[in-house]
Amino acid sequence: MLSRTADNLYWLARYVERAEYLARILEATQRLTSMPLAYVGETNEWESALSTAGCSNAFFAAHEEANEATVTDFLAFSTSNPSSIRNCFEVARSNARAVRTALTMEMWDAINTTWLELKRFGNRPSSREELARFLTWVQECSLRFDGSAYRTMLRSDAYWFSRIGVYTERADNTARILDVKYHLLLPADEHVGGPLDYYQWSGILRSVSALTAYHWVYRESLKPWLIADLLILNDQMPRSLSSCYENLVQNLDRIAGVYGRQGPAQRQARSVRTRLQNSKMDEIFQSGLHEFITSFITDNNKLGSAITQQYLA
Amino acid sequence: MGLAFDEMKGTDGVVRAPYSELAGWLGDVKPDVLDYRRREAELLFRRIGITFAVYGEADSTERLIPFDVIPRILGAKEWDLLRRGLEQRVRAINEYLRDVYGRREVLRAGIVPDDLVFQNPVFRPEMNGQKVPHNIYVHIAGIDIVRVDPETFYVLEDNARTPSGVSYMLENREIMMRLFPELFARHRVAPVENYPDELLATLKSVAPDSASGDPTVVLLTPGVYNSAYYEHSFLADKLGVELVEGRDLFVKSGFVYMRTTQGPKRVDVIYRRVDDDFLDPLSFRADSALGVAGLMSAYQAGNVTLANAVGTGIADDKAIYSYMPDIVKFYLGEEPILKNVPTWRCREPDHLTYVLEHLEELVVKEVHGSGGYGMLIGPAADKAQVASFRSKLKLNPKGFIAQPTLALSTCPTCVDAGIAPRHVDLRPFVLTGRDKIRIVPGGLTRVALKAGSLVVNSSQGGGTKDTWVLDR
């Protein structure tokens, strides 16, 4: 297929995935800040939402204060933030339009309908209820697009490239959440298990839709190292780094199989997967969770560049 | 302008044979049913994203072309006449192009004046003496046809460069079949959905001899900002070929390749929807970012087929148009089956005098204009418009032709006030391959939605209809 088509499919999938992730962050943050002040203290969860989304610098270049109104606007609706939900859908739709021939009718319909409805949402919601509806809608759109792709695409390179986009983005998103919250996950000497911790930890899990999964897997109260284990090493958890790399290796191998050629992208994905497979949670904590995650984010970016050079350029 | 011929009711109000079923159905159907289907159709078009871009309209960069749910119907005999006429016309156009870029007998015989060719900005000297694969220049032609009475069809315009609209022909049918299955059950409508197959067969048939057994065909688009982008992607999809932009292609050692995820792949046939000017920055406009550097050299080396060929604009120019009946006779030795609209060439002094004296009755068109822009419709124009055209004509008579205001046929159409007659034209698509000429029965019917208006162009508020050719 055309390199440009593969590139568009890859980024289309990434942007739709990112929009959902942003909606989840906003939802989790809102929930956290609606706790009584006595529980939450003076932390600024809105600033933390910005760092999780990876756009603190851009935000503070334009705004003085990170509060509910400014951050929600910036992450969800701003036209000047290239990674706002609105822009994610906008770019996704224009990518989709550029490669309509590579999409199934259902995928096009999903993304085009999203785009049309987005215009009807207007600039920003007038109430929290409306915002909540918006955030739910964003997740549904992403779900619908992803589901359409899963159900209707031929299992050929077009599909695999779009899957690779999903998992590269998802891995990055999960890693970012962990990176911003890593201090919460450190075995602390005080307050462990207090209500604040509990709500913050459950916030992390909610933002990756893993609260129920946690209980199912560990059958324990929330423990930071188990949360880290779930999101980093647990293969059963679809958003875990390990699971994302399982899928990346598989999909890259399928492409290599059909094209009859392995390359740097396959090697990079395999090496990251091997590293995850050989890791143990206590070792990660000993050598530094933060260091582990930042090096993962770097490796994940490297995979992105390798894919681009090998197939998309 | 006399009373227009109505395709359904003729001039005497008696329903014509091809319309008998439809007229009965229209008589029975409740207005709200039609209205409901109309809205459903619009929703379908919007959801599928069948839109076109209008230049210079900041807000509505993607618009729907209004779709009318009442089909336009042609009987088998009417279509047969049109089909034969279209084939003849397109054969002559191809002969003409081969001759003009070759031996130039038509010029030596004085059939067409030299300056109309050589001073024409769309004449491509690069094509002189250049052999194109299998001697076919216009692989895809869109011939605009109007009708004035039961027997008379006129060719209004030949489109020999990159004619568009075929996606509407196909989508209109698709949507009609979804919305009105009962109507299709009561008629026998010739299918058009094999058009993409026919187009692909045509394109493959004209691959260069050096191409492999199964030639690689691509569709070259200027990109998503082009007004016809929807059509480009639609067609590429139906053809099952890659939709490429200039940046996806490159030329190496005289061959054209596309960049794929598996490395470079040779391209044999390019159905290009990019104008000559933008095809190759090395040969034509250097500022073009839409083209492919070196494409012309690969073309001239005979290693790639461009459809349509470069330089076909000299055949669809409005000035050449008036010579087309002579061109048909000259090359084929046959009487033209399809007539031309009587045309005054303002370049000829006695014609100019007549035109200036009768401006209020005539339609005056720019020789190089298109899309319904830059024309004067005498009977509908005010004094200031007529005066301004008078001075334009005197200043540059060569730039204009004039035609009588035709009483274009009308067809029943859904408008806000109910069902009313509206003027229509027809653009059938003629495919010329190495083996044969292919025409799917039908075409794109465009309809002027404003009462009395003769302008059917989509850029000026015209709509479209499904076109049915019956088997009887």
Side-chain angles (χ1 to χ4, degrees):
Chain A
M1 68 190 306
L2 281 182
S3 298
R4 181 172 53 84
T5 307
D7 187 56
N8 273 316
L9 284 167
Y10 171 82
W11 282 102
L12 167 58
R14 284 195 73 158
Y15 276 109
V16 174
E17 181 72 20
R18 189 175 296 175
E20 177 186 347
Y21 165 72
L22 290 167
R24 287 186 179 284
I25 295 179
L26 283 171
E27 223 172 52
T29 310
Q30 203 181 29
R31 185 178 271 270
L32 213 51
T33 54
S34 58
M35 298 297 295
L37 211 59
Y39 287 79
V40 188
E42 285 301 310
T43 59
N44 188 341
E45 278 302 324
W46 292 108
E47 272 184 38
S48 155
L50 286 170
S51 358
T52 314
C55 47
S56 297
N57 293 344
F59 177 86
F60 286 110
H63 297 270
E64 297 263 297
E65 196 195 341
N67 56 37
E68 179 169 1
T70 53
V71 172
T72 304
D73 183 65
F74 190 75
L75 292 186
F77 303 102
S78 165
T79 45
S80 58
N81 170 15
S83 273
S84 68
I85 292 174
R86 173 187 299 271
N87 276 337
C88 282
F89 280 153
E90 193 91 41
V91 177
R93 197 266 183 175
S94 79
N95 274 9
R97 191 160 174 257
V99 294
R100 274 194 60 157
T101 51
L103 301 181
T104 62
M105 196 60 221
E106 285 82 356
M107 291 168 80
W108 167 252
D109 193 34
I111 193 67
N112 196 41
T113 307
T114 298
W115 182 74
L116 291 169
E117 286 175 3
L118 180 69
K119 299 195 152 182
R120 283 205 284 278
F121 266 106
N123 270 341
R124 58 215 45 163
S126 55
S127 65
R128 284 210 168 133
E129 287 75 24
E130 213 180 297
L131 176 66
R133 270 200 300 278
F134 174 78
L135 297 176
T136 309
W137 171 80
V138 172
Q139 293 170 54
E140 283 167 2
C141 289
S142 170
L143 195 61
R144 189 162 161 237
F145 179 78
D146 199 44
S148 305
Y150 181 73
R151 281 201 174 178
T152 60
M153 279 184 94
L154 264 183
R155 270 27 179 190
S156 63
D157 47 1
Y159 179 72
W160 297 321
F161 279 113
S162 83
R163 287 285 103 184
I164 288 167
V166 169
Y167 291 113
T168 318
E169 182 69 25
R170 196 172 285 176
D172 181 75
N173 294 169
T174 300
R176 277 175 193 284
I177 289 185
L178 289 168
D179 194 35
V180 172
K181 306 284 184 184
Y182 82 95
H183 53 92
L184 276 176
L185 297 168
L186 292 178
D189 27 3
E190 46 189 329
H191 298 313
V192 178
L196 169 62
D197 283 348
Y198 180 86
Y199 283 105
Q200 294 206 330
W201 292 333
S202 68
I204 299 177
L205 288 171
R206 270 179 214 287
S207 60
V208 291
S209 187
L211 189 53
T212 317
Y214 178 92
H215 292 303
W216 188 253
V217 173
Y218 299 101
R219 304 195 176 279
E220 275 207 54
S221 59
L222 299 188
K223 302 259 168 48
W225 48 91
L226 292 182
I227 294 175
D229 183 64
L230 181 68
L231 296 187
I232 297 175
L233 299 182
N234 193 312
D235 274 349
Q236 292 176 294
M237 175 65 211
R239 283 193 165 266
S240 74
L241 305 186
S242 175
S243 168
C244 288
Y245 266 78
E246 217 28 73
N247 281 294
L248 281 167
V249 169
Q250 258 184 36
N251 285 294
L252 282 163
D253 277 349
R254 291 204 173 105
I255 293 173
V258 171
Y259 292 179
R261 202 183 307 163
Q262 298 266 344
Q266 280 80 10
R267 283 194 290 279
Q268 171 72 5
R270 264 200 300 276
S271 109
V272 177
R273 181 184 62 173
T274 307
R275 192 172 160 210
L276 288 166
Q277 278 171 338
N278 295 338
S279 295
K280 299 262 180 318
M281 214 57 236
D282 49 347
E283 289 164 15
I284 293 178
F285 273 111
Q286 264 166 27
S287 53
L289 179 60
H290 176 63
E291 287 70 20
F292 181 87
I293 297 168
T294 36
S295 98
F296 174 86
I297 292 177
T298 313
D299 282 345
N300 193 50
N301 286 341
K302 266 191 209 149
L303 175 64
S305 326
I307 292 168
T308 302
Q309 273 176 18
Q310 195 173 329
Y311 296 114
L312 312 179
Chain B
M1 186 167 90
L3 191 63
F5 167 72
D6 189 79
E7 307 238 348
M8 182 159 93
K9 292 186 177 166
T11 31
D12 49 7
V14 180
V15 172
R16 301 177 55 250
Y19 279 85
S20 53
E21 277 288 333
L22 183 76
W25 184 85
L26 281 176
D28 294 339
V29 72
K30 297 204 170 48
D32 55 326
V33 170
L34 270 187
D35 202 49
Y36 176 68
R37 302 283 170 89
R38 207 175 145 188
R39 271 177 289 141
E40 243 183 315
E42 183 174 324
L43 199 71
L44 283 171
F45 273 107
R46 179 71 69 189
R47 278 183 71 138
I48 305 174
I50 310 174
T51 56
F52 76 113
V54 180
Y55 299 116
E57 281 188 27
D59 195 35
S60 53
T61 45
E62 286 173 37
R63 248 176 37 187
L64 286 182
I65 295 185
F67 172 67
D68 183 61
V69 293
I70 302 180
R72 187 254 188 99
I73 305 181
L74 295 164
K77 264 196 212 132
E78 293 169 323
W79 176 252
D80 194 53
L81 171 84
L82 278 174
R83 188 184 50 76
R84 284 185 294 120
L86 291 165
E87 270 199 46
Q88 182 195 49
R89 184 115 175 165
V90 170
R91 272 194 290 137
I93 288 176
N94 272 310
E95 290 293 329
Y96 169 75
L97 283 161
R98 177 154 66 123
D99 186 30
V100 167
Y101 288 118
R103 300 161 58 93
R104 296 192 177 141
E105 281 164 7
V106 74
L107 305 183
R108 275 186 267 142
I111 308 284
V112 172
D114 286 18
D115 69 303
L116 273 188
V117 172
F118 299 125
Q119 288 174 28
N120 194 327
V122 293
F123 172 74
R124 296 288 168 208
E126 295 85 349
M127 294 298 290
N128 282 336
Q130 173 65 43
K131 192 169 158 12
V132 303
H134 317 294
N135 283 320
I136 302 166
Y137 286 79
V138 180
H139 310 83
I140 302 110
I143 311 288
D144 292 348
I145 304 278
V146 295
R147 181 177 202 178
V148 293
D149 61 44
E151 278 80 40
T152 317
F153 292 91
Y154 287 129
V155 173
L156 189 66
E157 199 172 300
D158 303 287
N159 294 285
R161 282 173 251 194
T162 54
S164 65
V166 77
S167 57
Y168 289 93
M169 172 181 89
L170 296 166
E171 291 285 33
N172 288 354
R173 174 64 52 84
E174 211 48 49
I175 284 182
M176 284 297 282
M177 291 185 88
R178 256 207 258 186
L179 295 182
F180 299 98
E182 75 278 17
L183 270 182
F184 283 90
R186 291 163 69 162
H187 290 84
R188 290 195 170 272
V189 182
V192 290
E193 55 261 40
N194 54 330
Y195 178 85
D197 274 9
E198 302 282 42
L199 176 57
L200 189 61
T202 300
L203 292 170
K204 284 191 172 174
S205 79
V206 294
D209 289 329
S210 63
S212 66
D214 189 19
T216 302
V217 178
V218 299
L219 196 156
L220 176 65
T221 174
V224 293
Y225 299 108
N226 185 268
S227 63
Y229 178 74
Y230 168 73
E231 171 152 309
H232 305 160
S233 69
F234 172 91
L235 277 178
D237 205 12
K238 298 279 177 199
L239 291 170
V241 305
E242 293 289 357
L243 177 65
V244 301
E245 295 179 18
R247 57 192 156 130
D248 298 320
L249 301 180
F250 66 94
V251 175
K252 202 177 156 196
S253 317
F255 289 90
V256 182
Y257 297 89
M258 59 178 160
R259 289 175 227 277
T260 80
T261 49
Q262 300 185 72
K265 177 159 198 233
R266 192 185 150 186
V267 170
D268 304 303
V269 181
I270 302 178
Y271 175 21
R272 49 92 171 212
R273 297 290 296 259
V274 169
D275 293 337
D276 287 355
D277 270 344
F278 299 95
L279 269 183
D280 180 352
L282 299 182
S283 293
F284 306 119
R285 280 178 62 152
D287 61 342
S288 169
L290 306 174
V292 185
L295 181 58
M296 276 305 281
S297 67
Y299 185 47
Q300 283 160 338
N303 292 336
V304 67
T305 302
L306 295 177
N308 291 341
V310 171
T312 53
I314 52 164
D316 70 4
D317 194 82
K318 289 194 179 69
I320 284 297
Y321 165 85
S322 65
Y323 298 91
M324 207 46 84
D326 303 323
I327 289 173
V328 171
K329 275 181 240 165
F330 181 74
Y331 291 108
L332 307 179
E334 300 167 7
E335 278 302 310
I337 299 170
L338 294 174
K339 297 191 174 78
N340 258 18
V341 180
T343 302
W344 289 275
R345 304 161 182 146
C346 302
R347 67 202 316 277
E348 294 176 20
D350 49 333
H351 286 208
L352 179 65
T353 314
Y354 177 87
V355 170
L356 287 173
E357 278 166 11
H358 297 83
L359 268 184
E360 285 83 356
E361 306 155 22
L362 299 173
V363 177
V364 185
K365 295 176 179 173
E366 277 180 26
V367 167
H368 303 303
S370 72
Y373 291 105
M375 61 192 265
L376 173 81
I377 300 176
D382 60 32
K383 282 196 170 142
Q385 285 168 317
V386 172
S388 110
F389 256 80
R390 188 180 304 279
S391 46
K392 277 192 208 172
L393 271 172
K394 284 182 185 156
L395 214 64
N396 175 26
K398 279 187 178 182
F400 296 88
I401 56 154
Q403 293 168 336
T405 332
L406 297 177
L408 295 194
S409 63
T410 60
C411 189
T413 301
C414 265
V415 295
D416 289 337
I419 297 175
R422 290 289 183 270
H423 295 292
V424 291
D425 78 350
L426 175 67
R427 175 178 291 182
F429 297 89
V430 184
L431 301 172
T432 307
R434 175 162 46 158
D435 44 350
K436 58 176 174 181
I437 293 182
R438 297 169 168 88
I439 310 176
V440 297
L444 177 66
T445 290
R446 297 185 297 176
V447 52
L449 293 171
K450 267 189 276 177
S453 169
L454 295 169
V455 184
V456 295
N457 296 90
S458 48
S459 48
Q460 307 219 1
T464 69
K465 280 171 174 293
D466 192 11
T467 312
W468 292 6
V469 173
L470 301 186
D471 70 349
R472 58 186 158 78

